[in-house]
């Protein structure tokens, strides 16, 4: 076998291998989806959305309280995290100098990479210890802290795609910079910013680790933000590791609902973004 | 005047991330004080974790965390970089963007769902097929001896590997796409095959970015909690066997923090959190610098 044939064979073998790597990783997503739809579909019924969880052994029941609890904590987290991230993002995109900009941007990325369970400890020390109780508020604070760097970087990213001509046009008409931002730049980027924020919310809605020792769990309806609160991810965890078959069925149903929510949000966001954003003419 | 106010107000909000990070460190440091004073640095290599005797050592958890993460990377780096090469260099644009989208969806799947699926699929698969096969082939090594339970270091590593794919693929792919076209054309013009061009020219050019993606994957793996807690077996004694149940820092926090009683116990757990925080932040900092060095536009898009 001559040298060239050998090189061609190596070429083809290696290129096929990289293709197989891709096939393998991508097929994992379909395996996850298929398995969840198959198992979750069997167990999902109307009661899942309307009833409280039952002890193992009793048939039926649902996770209505966990859905409400998750919505409550994620909503509260959005109220905490999104405004801070949004304003910070405006600073990064419009006002920051080189050094401050780098410092804040870099710290935001680092904070984004902190394991979520460590954020949980922080929220525990910040809220649970002073209030002497696990609470939905503590869970919301943990999720809110996670949202800040995410929404900050998203806002910055979409503001910086707004063309400079828009800024200059408004400035040339004599508007001060803050007015240009509020009436021209931010509205132009709003669609992208909102989409990014919804993606961020979808991400923290699936978080389990920071809720384990902040919001804890609850078998009943949430009775206020100062009480332990059930959430869908924590419910999936406790039900999946339990030895009971009927709890496993509930976990599958909950997993399907959670994954559907996350994937639909991601696909919809991608679709909106791909249709071109940032600049609205007219 | 109005502009100055706007600048200061937005700066105040932007600075919250710095403030939170400082507060986080200060808080972990302060809360872990009882444990730090009682055990000193020996905490890191103490092998005993006994809440009843109030004696705490971190080694089983540090070992589990490091072991599972490294084993996971051994699996996921070749596969992930291979897939990134395919997506960046070979696949037609439509296929490439489609697959990249799917990979990004994979990154969006919540960790608890990976864990649940792993309990019902990967664990039985490991117990029935993969671990017996490994034992048959390498049974003379201590790593492949002992009972095969399905839960343990190796299973956790496999699950972690699957979870780190998306990060490694997404960032390696971006680093590869940053390589200038003339580099490829020059190599091809010299008569190199497609693979030689990729492997000897493009990959070395993008090596910092690829290394950065590996570090980011490592940081994710070290801090990963739920999926690992569900498949590692949660056993705080040290085992040489990879089939044996183990523990990681994040998993012990998930399992014991809510029920921990007493100052020393809680603060020992917080100290574990502090160790985890410091390690991941150093690795993340390195990774971001590496990625910055190659792509020069930061990692705003990175999940």
């Amino acid at each position: 076998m001559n040298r060239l044939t050998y090189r061609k064979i190596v070429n083809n073998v290696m290129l096929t291998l990289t293709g197989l790597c891709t096939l393998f990783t991508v097929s994992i997503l379909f395996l996850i989806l298929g398995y969840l739809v198959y198992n979750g579909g069997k167990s999902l019924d109307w009661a899942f959305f309307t009833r409280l969880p039952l002890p193992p052994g009793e048939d039926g029941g649902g996770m209505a309280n966990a859905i409400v609890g998750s919505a409550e904590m994620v909503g509260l987290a959005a109220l905490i995290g999104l405004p801070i991230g949004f304003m910070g993002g405006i600073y990064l995109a419009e006002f920051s100098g080189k050094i401050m900009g780098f410092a804040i941007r870099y710290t935001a990325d680092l904070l984004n990479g902190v394991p979520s369970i460590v954020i949980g400890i922080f929220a525990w020390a910040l809220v649970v210890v002073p209030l002497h109780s696990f609470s939905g508020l503590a869970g919301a604070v943990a999720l809110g802290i996670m949202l800040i760097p995410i929404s900050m970087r998203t806002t910055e990213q979409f503001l910086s795609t707004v063309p400079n001509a828009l800024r200059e046009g408004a400035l040339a008409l004599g508007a001060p910079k803050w007015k240009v931002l509020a009436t021209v730049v931010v509205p132009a980027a709003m669609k992208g910013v909102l989409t990014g924020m919804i993606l961020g919310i979808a991400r923290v809605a699936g978080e389990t680790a920071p809720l384990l020792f902040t919001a804890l769990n609850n078998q009943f309806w949430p009775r206020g933000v100062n009480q332990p609160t059930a959430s869908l991810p924590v419910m999936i965890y406790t039900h999946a590791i339990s030895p009971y078959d009927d709890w496993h069925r509930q976990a599958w149903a909950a997993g399907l609902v959670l994954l559907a929510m996350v994937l639909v949000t991601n696909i919809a966001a991608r679709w909106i973004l791909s249709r071109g954003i940032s600049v609205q003419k007219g | 005047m109005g502009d100055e106010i706007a600048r200061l107000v937005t700066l105040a909000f932007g600075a919250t991330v710095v403030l939170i990070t400082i507060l986080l460190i200060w808080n972990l440091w302060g809360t872990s004080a009882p444990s730090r004073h009682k055990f000193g640095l020996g905490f890191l290599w103490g092998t005993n974790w006994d809440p009843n005797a109030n004696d705490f050592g971190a080694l089983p958890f540090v070992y589990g965390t490091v072991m599972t993460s490294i084993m996971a990377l051994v699996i996921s780096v070749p596969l992930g970089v291979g897939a990134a090469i395919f997506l960046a260099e070979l696949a037609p644009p439509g296929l490439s963007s489609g697959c990249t989208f799917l990979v990004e969806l994979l990154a969006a799947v919540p960790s608890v769902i990976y864990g649940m699926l792993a309990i019902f699929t990967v664990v039985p698969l490991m117990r029935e097929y993969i671990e017996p096969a490994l034992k048959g082939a390498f049974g003379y090594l201590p790593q492949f001896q002992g009972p095969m339970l399905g839960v343990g270091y190796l299973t956790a590593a496999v699950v972690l590997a699957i979870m780190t794919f998306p990060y490694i693929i997404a960032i390696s792919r971006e680093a590869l796409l940053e390589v200038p076209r003339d580099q490829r054309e020059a190599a091809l013009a010299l008569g190199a095959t497609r693979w030689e061009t990729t492997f000897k020219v493009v990959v070395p050019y993008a090596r910092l970015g690829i290394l950065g993606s590996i570090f980011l994957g490592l940081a994710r793996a070290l801090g990963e909690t739920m999926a690992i807690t569900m498949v590692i077996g949660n056993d705080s004694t040290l085992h040489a066997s990879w089939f044996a149940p183990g523990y990681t820092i994040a998993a012990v926090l998930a399992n014991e923090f809510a029920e921990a009683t007493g100052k020393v116990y809680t603060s020992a757990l917080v100290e574990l959190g502090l160790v985890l925080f410091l390690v991941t932040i150093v690795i993340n900092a390195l990774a971001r610098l590496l990625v910055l060095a190659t792509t020069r536009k930061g990692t705003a898009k990175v999940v």
Side-chain angles (χ1 to χ4, degrees):
Chain A
M1 184 168 58
N2 70 34
R3 179 99 182 118
L4 183 63
T5 335
Y6 170 75
R7 285 170 59 205
K8 279 185 173 163
I9 292 173
V10 168
N11 182 45
N12 289 332
V13 168
M14 294 314 285
L15 296 186
T16 316
L17 276 180
T18 62
L20 288 177
C21 291
T22 315
L23 190 68
F24 176 72
T25 47
V26 169
S27 59
I28 289 173
L29 181 68
F30 290 104
L31 283 177
I32 291 177
L33 265 178
Y35 206 71
L36 255 184
V37 169
Y38 174 72
N39 281 292
K42 279 193 305 193
S43 336
L44 197 59
D45 53 12
W46 188 239
F48 178 85
F49 297 100
T50 55
R51 307 265 306 271
L52 288 177
L54 291 173
E58 289 182 43
D59 226 17
M63 289 193 181
N65 61 334
I67 297 173
V68 174
S70 264
E72 179 189 305
M73 284 190 285
V74 172
L76 209 54
L79 286 181
I80 299 169
L82 296 186
I84 300 178
F86 177 69
M87 296 295 278
I90 293 181
Y91 175 78
L92 285 180
E94 304 292 334
F95 293 107
S96 67
K98 214 164 185 176
I99 296 171
M100 256 329 241
F102 177 79
I104 291 178
R105 208 168 283 133
Y106 200 66
T107 320
D109 284 346
L110 288 186
L111 191 62
N112 197 7
V114 171
S116 56
I117 191 136
V118 175
I119 304 280
I121 299 181
F122 184 48
W124 169 84
L126 224 54
V127 183
V128 176
V129 173
L131 296 182
H132 302 291
S133 160
F134 298 108
S135 63
L137 179 67
V141 167
L143 299 181
I145 291 173
M146 297 185 66
L147 266 178
I148 293 174
I150 302 175
S151 52
M152 194 176 286
R153 296 292 267 138
T154 318
T155 307
E156 184 203 359
Q157 192 192 339
F158 285 106
L159 285 180
S160 54
T161 59
V162 175
N164 261 330
L166 273 181
R167 293 189 182 81
E168 285 158 5
L171 285 170
L173 289 175
K177 193 170 179 185
W178 63 270
K179 210 163 191 175
V180 174
L181 282 176
T183 57
V184 176
V185 181
V186 170
M190 213 51 209
K191 204 163 149 193
V193 171
L194 283 178
T195 314
M197 287 185 167
I198 288 169
L199 278 179
I201 290 176
R203 186 180 143 200
V204 298
E207 280 291 342
T208 317
L211 299 179
L212 288 172
F213 38 83
T214 50
L216 210 65
N217 200 354
N218 199 331
Q219 295 302 311
F220 304 102
W221 295 102
R223 275 202 214 88
V225 288
N226 57 350
Q227 298 288 320
T229 305
S231 62
L232 217 41
V234 175
M235 277 287 190
I236 296 176
Y237 171 59
T238 54
H239 279 60
I241 59 170
S242 78
Y244 316 113
D245 276 342
D246 39 352
W247 273 32
H248 288 166
R249 278 197 293 279
Q250 291 288 320
W252 284 117
L256 181 59
V257 171
L258 186 64
L259 188 69
M261 194 249 350
V262 170
L263 291 191
V264 166
T265 317
N266 271 277
I267 293 169
R270 191 57 49 99
W271 184 68
I272 293 172
L273 291 182
S274 72
R275 289 174 68 227
I277 33 123
S278 342
V279 193
Q280 293 164 333
K281 293 193 174 112
Chain B
M1 181 63 198
D3 288 351
E4 193 54 23
I5 293 174
R7 195 183 73 84
L8 289 176
V9 169
T10 53
L11 170 62
F13 280 103
T16 48
V17 284
V18 182
L19 193 75
I20 288 173
T21 311
I22 293 170
L23 209 62
L24 181 59
I25 298 170
W26 182 72
N27 205 309
L28 291 176
W29 185 257
T31 321
S32 63
S35 161
R36 278 189 293 108
H37 293 152
K38 186 162 178 205
F39 304 111
L41 268 180
F43 179 75
L44 288 176
W45 50 85
T47 54
N48 194 29
W49 182 266
D50 187 353
N52 295 319
N54 246 350
D55 185 24
F56 300 102
L59 193 64
F61 313 112
V62 174
Y63 172 77
T65 307
V66 173
M67 269 305 282
T68 51
S69 299
I70 289 176
M71 283 156 78
L73 285 184
V74 168
I75 303 170
S76 67
V77 167
L79 283 168
V81 175
I85 289 176
F86 180 78
L87 293 177
E89 299 295 311
L90 304 166
L95 182 65
S96 175
S97 62
C99 286
T100 308
F101 176 52
L102 292 177
V103 168
E104 280 170 20
L105 283 187
L106 211 50
V109 175
S111 144
V112 70
I113 287 182
Y114 278 106
M116 176 168 67
L117 283 158
I119 288 183
F120 296 106
T121 56
V122 181
V123 169
L125 205 68
M126 295 295 287
R127 186 174 53 222
E128 304 298 332
Y129 301 104
I130 299 177
E131 289 182 354
L134 284 172
K135 192 173 190 172
F138 307 104
Y140 49 87
L141 293 170
Q143 283 85 350
F144 298 100
Q145 290 168 1
M148 293 161 288
L149 307 169
V151 293
Y153 295 114
L154 196 61
T155 310
V158 169
V159 176
L160 265 184
I162 293 172
M163 297 180 71
T164 45
F165 279 147
Y167 302 104
I168 293 179
I169 296 176
I171 300 163
S172 294
R173 176 177 165 273
E174 281 198 7
L176 290 169
L177 288 177
E178 291 290 321
V179 177
R181 248 187 105 82
D182 12 344
Q183 294 282 332
R184 295 186 183 88
E185 283 165 1
L188 288 171
L190 287 174
T193 61
R194 203 61 192 265
W195 170 252
E196 286 161 352
T197 308
T198 304
F199 195 67
K200 293 183 180 160
V201 177
V202 180
V203 171
Y205 197 98
R207 64 186 182 281
L208 284 182
I210 294 175
L211 199 62
S213 83
I214 295 172
F215 274 110
L216 277 181
L218 179 62
R220 289 277 158 181
L222 291 170
E224 177 45 49
T225 311
M226 297 321 296
I228 299 309
T229 311
M230 292 161 95
V231 298
I232 199 167
N234 303 335
D235 180 355
S236 60
T237 45
L238 278 169
H239 297 279
S241 169
W242 290 354
F243 300 157
Y247 231 145
T248 66
I249 294 179
V252 73
L253 289 172
N255 273 324
E256 298 190 2
F257 202 95
E259 275 113 43
T261 46
K263 260 207 147 55
V264 181
Y265 191 7
T266 311
S267 65
L269 285 168
V270 175
E271 189 172 355
L272 281 178
L274 180 67
V275 172
L276 183 63
F277 171 80
L278 292 176
V279 172
T280 48
I281 213 146
V282 167
I283 292 173
N284 255 314
L286 271 175
R288 304 267 170 203
L289 285 178
L290 285 172
V291 175
L292 273 179
T294 35
T295 63
R296 291 219 198 93
K297 36 171 214 195
T299 48
K301 267 196 68 191
V302 175
V303 199

